[in-house]
Amino acid sequence: MHRYNQLTDIELAEQLGKGDEGAFREIYVRYWDKLYIVARKRLKDSLEAEETIQDIFCNLWRKRETFTLSKGFDNYFAVAVKFEVINRLAKKARQSVVEKEVSASLSEADYSTLQTLDLNELKDQLQQSINELPDKCRIVFRMKYEKDYSQHQIAEELHISEKTVEAHLAKARKTLRSSFGNALGILIGILISHS
């Protein structure tokens, strides 16, 4: 029988990877209150803050078998809460308004915090999502955002029309947005500038 409360975050993450519900409960108990306080402060709505944290923990349990922790859960959850909150705010307000707020908040202290947090973890999550795109979609997306090709250059290189390139990009963005919400544009910007 594990004494879960004596395990470190890394040890808990290892147990979680084996589907250990006790480890998951310990992570939940250890971090729920902290995360709720942060989410409530940002969302100014206690019910929505609860839903946000529940979603984060549900996602963690869903991806338990592939989950790896590079630092502590503090770092992982700080990033998870930030992006979940951004997604929810983006749904409430017009996207352009939210993006202004987000880029403003990211350009202040938050941005340096975000840089030092788990950019690697976020990069891994984004790369994993990109890898799961259909072949053509993935190739077009990588050429556009990693190699900085224009749509015209992609069309020429792959011997397809620019319309087809646009269709692949739209499909890729739509798929990725389902994982990262309206934070996708900001996230790609941050990650590309760090790649």
Side-chain angles (χ1 to χ4, degrees):
M1 176 79 182
H2 281 283
R3 303 183 73 175
Y4 295 104
N5 62 350
Q6 291 176 7
L7 297 179
T8 65
D9 281 3
I10 300 293
E11 289 166 338
L12 283 171
E14 282 170 10
Q15 292 302 120
L16 177 69
K18 297 171 186 167
D20 187 329
E21 288 180 27
F24 179 73
R25 267 195 300 276
E26 175 60 29
I27 297 162
Y28 188 91
V29 167
R30 206 177 277 189
Y31 287 99
W32 200 92
D33 287 347
K34 283 186 201 174
L35 300 182
Y36 171 71
I37 289 164
V38 173
R40 191 182 62 191
K41 191 172 158 190
R42 291 186 180 178
L43 292 166
K44 298 175 177 50
D45 179 327
S46 52
L47 189 65
E48 195 170 13
E50 276 185 35
E51 283 175 9
T52 301
I53 304 313
Q54 289 301 112
D55 284 352
I56 288 168
F57 276 104
C58 286
N59 287 335
L60 178 62
W61 179 252
R62 266 200 299 275
K63 63 180 186 180
R64 63 192 178 278
E65 289 169 10
T66 56
F67 179 76
T68 52
L69 190 70
S70 53
K71 296 180 187 170
F73 276 111
D74 270 329
N75 284 350
Y76 169 78
F77 284 131
V79 173
V81 169
K82 174 181 282 291
F83 282 96
E84 192 65 39
V85 165
I86 289 171
N87 286 344
R88 283 172 181 264
L89 290 175
K91 280 177 194 163
K92 282 182 178 177
R94 278 230 236 42
Q95 192 178 339
S96 61
V97 175
V98 173
E99 281 181 356
K100 277 180 200 155
E101 285 176 14
V102 169
S103 58
S105 71
L106 284 180
S107 66
E108 293 159 19
D110 271 342
Y111 186 72
S112 59
T113 311
L114 189 60
Q115 282 180 305
T116 56
L117 283 176
D118 267 64
L119 269 178
N120 288 336
E121 219 156 297
L122 279 172
K123 194 176 278 189
D124 290 348
Q125 283 174 25
L126 184 61
Q127 290 298 349
Q128 198 174 339
S129 299
I130 293 169
N131 289 338
E132 288 165 7
L133 291 170
D135 286 350
K136 261 286 166 49
C137 245
R138 184 180 68 246
I139 292 163
V140 169
F141 187 86
R142 287 193 186 283
M143 288 173 84
K144 171 84 175 149
Y145 291 105
E146 291 179 9
K147 297 183 177 174
D148 205 22
Y149 278 35
S150 69
Q151 286 179 211
H152 180 69
Q153 287 172 307
I154 297 170
E156 285 201 326
E157 180 113 353
L158 298 178
H159 308 294
I160 54 178
S161 72
E162 287 190 46
K163 262 209 161 80
T164 307
V165 171
E166 181 50 50
H168 282 308
L169 286 173
K171 185 176 180 181
R173 282 192 291 263
K174 187 179 176 188
T175 307
L176 293 172
R177 196 167 279 125
S178 70
S179 301
F180 297 96
N182 289 320
L184 179 65
I186 298 151
L187 182 56
I188 287 173
I190 294 167
L191 295 183
I192 286 171
S193 68
H194 284 79
S195 58

